[in-house]
Amino acid sequence: MKRRQFVLHTTLGAAAGAAAALPLGVSAQAAAPVKVGLILSMTGPFASTGKQIEAGARLYQAEHGDTVAGRKVELLVRDDASTPDQSRRIAQEFVVNDKVAVMGGFVLTPLALAVGPVATQSRTPTIVMSAGTSSVIDASPYFIRCSFTLPQNTIGVAEWAPKNGIRSVVTLVSDYGPGIDAETAFRDRFTLNGGTVKELLRVPVRNPDFAPFLQRVRDAQPDAVFVFLPAGVGTTFMKQFVERGLDKAGIRLIATGDVTEDDILNDMGDVALGVVTSHHYSAAHPSTANQKFVAAFKKANAGKRPNYMAVAGYDGMRILYTALQRTKGQTGDALLEAMKGQTFESPRGPVLIDAQTRDIVQNVYIRRVARQDGELHNVEFEVLKSVKDPGRRK
Ligand code: DHB
């Protein structure tokens, strides 16, 4: 107790002394807020993702205060309605008018890609909190990613399936960057492990009607269908999967965890029971850090369950706070450098922001949907440790 008081006093004393010694201009600048511009889809079909990311970011601030290294961290949130042109326009406004020090967010891959050139030209450190196509990270040297990549998450189930009686598969993915990454990663890994891919199906990203595609899956009679769909879309898919009788036809469903994500899983009902997925986050991850995170998130959000998007918003803020502490409040290139190489325990498990790739390295878990404490959960039963994105071509 005594020692702590001593440390506190000397720290405060040193800070006060340093502030007094600074010329007026510098101390005024040091006190200016660090503005963080989040570009999120808050309306339209992907609004649930935007809301989860914002809620995660706000929870981190509520728990850790809004001042770091003497600077207030101010969150600005704008809705791009999942339109790349709007994401780019908002980014320009953030940089030119609001003078943000950091940008973040990006629910879908094309939205992050649209902002890459703005981040580069304005040299603004930018935290990608969703957008999971491998190549997104190459869109700007000012990007760091704290979410996931599709190849990273796909290989788990592509390894698990052939060891568990699944020899033939039809893949069904959303027809854009992350879907194509998932399709390629699954096909390559599954066939390497001796499996056969009978057909590769791609469905439209917006308002997909799964019925004709599910009919084709039925006709091909594979052991399983492997699915990737972006967060929020899984409920419609599950409904049509059952309506088309694929479960009765004995076709198993395997997927990335985007399909059974924790925000919507309870609404899917019993049809989801037994579905095996691989992913980096489950609200049922049995660590103390995660249990605390889930409880705090529910409390702050009227009982809503966090999904992996909330975790990325939360971790993104943590990376920013730690970087600001390291630079003593300095922004720009120094802040970007301080974001790289960070390693910490996230609610998802241990993570690293690889300093070379600027991408996240994390565990990928194999999970099965089960009822636990009266709720449907993705229950983890196997883990691939410290997975680096296997999908980069560079
Ligand atoms: C992307 C979006 C998602 O909602 C998701 O779950 C995975 C990837 C994307 O557009 O990159």
Side-chain angles (χ1 to χ4, degrees):
M1 188 63 192
K2 265 199 182 131
R3 189 171 172 271
R4 187 186 278 175
Q5 272 171 356
F6 171 73
V7 172
L8 194 68
H9 282 136
T10 38
T11 313
L12 286 176
L22 288 172
L24 224 124
V26 178
S27 73
Q29 195 190 8
V34 176
K35 290 189 189 170
V36 181
L38 294 188
I39 303 174
L40 294 171
S41 308
M42 305 300 282
T43 54
F46 303 103
S48 62
T49 297
K51 288 179 181 159
Q52 285 270 348
I53 292 178
E54 180 183 4
R58 294 214 184 273
L59 177 62
Y60 190 85
Q61 283 210 296
E63 287 180 348
H64 297 87
D66 62 3
T67 304
V68 192
R71 298 190 68 177
K72 199 164 184 236
V73 177
E74 203 179 293
L75 273 192
L76 311 177
V77 178
R78 305 245 163 94
D79 175 20
D80 63 11
S82 301
T83 315
D85 284 350
Q86 292 214 43
S87 315
R88 187 186 302 109
R89 186 182 51 71
I90 295 168
Q92 282 160 347
E93 285 172 9
F94 269 158
V95 166
V96 176
N97 301 341
D98 300 297
K99 310 225 170 347
V100 301
V102 177
M103 293 192 284
F106 321 112
V107 163
L108 303 178
T109 285
L111 312 173
L113 294 179
V115 171
V118 184
T120 306
Q121 279 153 26
S122 63
R123 307 176 69 143
T124 308
T126 297
I127 306 171
V128 177
M129 297 171 174
S130 170
T133 307
S134 285
S135 61
V136 162
I137 202 69
D138 299 323
S140 173
Y142 283 82
F143 276 6
I144 70 128
R145 176 157 46 192
C146 68
S147 50
F148 55 88
T149 78
L150 266 305
Q152 187 179 49
N153 274 332
T154 299
I155 56 156
V157 77
E159 289 282 343
W160 177 85
K163 290 184 207 141
N164 289 275
I166 295 172
R167 303 198 198 294
S168 65
V169 161
V170 171
T171 63
L172 187 154
V173 301
S174 283
D175 190 6
Y176 76 125
I180 291 156
D181 267 7
E183 177 193 277
T184 308
F186 187 87
R187 187 197 56 201
D188 291 355
R189 189 59 68 105
F190 185 64
T191 48
L192 182 73
N193 289 331
T196 306
V197 175
K198 289 186 153 182
E199 248 186 289
L200 304 164
L201 303 177
R202 296 179 183 178
V203 301
V205 182
R206 281 170 203 267
N207 306 315
D209 174 12
F210 297 109
F213 298 97
L214 289 170
Q215 191 55 49
R216 282 174 66 180
V217 175
R218 236 195 122 143
D219 293 345
Q221 295 187 313
D223 293 330
V225 56
F226 164 77
V227 182
F228 162 77
L229 301 167
V233 184
T235 317
T236 320
F237 175 80
M238 285 303 285
K239 205 165 157 268
Q240 295 192 6
F241 184 82
V242 176
E243 274 169 13
R244 294 273 130 191
L246 269 80
D247 53 339
K248 301 257 160 33
I251 297 168
R252 290 164 78 181
L253 174 58
I254 53 176
T256 59
D258 311 69
V259 177
T260 59
E261 48 106 344
D262 295 299
D263 194 359
I264 58 173
L265 180 58
N266 266 320
D267 297 335
M268 288 184 182
D270 287 358
V271 297
L273 284 170
V275 173
V276 171
T277 59
S278 51
H279 216 223
H280 62 288
Y281 179 70
S282 165
H285 180 62
S287 69
T288 309
N290 184 51
Q291 281 158 358
K292 274 194 194 155
F293 169 74
V294 172
F297 187 93
K298 282 184 167 175
K299 196 161 171 226
N301 294 281
K304 196 180 201 30
R305 202 156 72 170
N307 70 6
Y308 56 108
M309 300 298 185
V311 176
Y314 187 83
D315 287 349
M317 290 302 283
R318 179 192 174 120
I319 291 163
L320 170 62
Y321 272 43
T322 304
L324 278 169
Q325 276 154 3
R326 287 185 183 167
T327 65
K328 302 192 170 50
Q330 212 186 317
T331 55
D333 285 17
L335 189 65
L336 177 72
E337 286 313 307
M339 288 180 181
K340 297 178 190 173
Q342 287 190 27
T343 176
F344 58 92
E345 192 192 352
S346 158
R348 60 189 114 177
V351 300
L352 160 73
I353 304 299
D354 186 313
Q356 261 74 51
T357 63
R358 291 172 281 110
D359 226 335
I360 191 155
V361 180
Q362 60 194 342
N363 293 345
V364 172
Y365 306 88
I366 319 289
R367 312 96 49 84
R368 187 178 283 108
V369 177
R371 197 170 288 287
Q372 210 170 264
D373 301 329
E375 288 185 21
L376 291 183
H377 273 290
N378 291 293
V379 179
E380 296 166 352
F381 63 90
E382 263 177 45
V383 58
L384 277 68
K385 289 212 165 136
S386 306
V387 182
K388 257 182 118 154
D389 174 39
R392 297 282 292 304
R393 277 157 202 94
K394 273 191 180 173

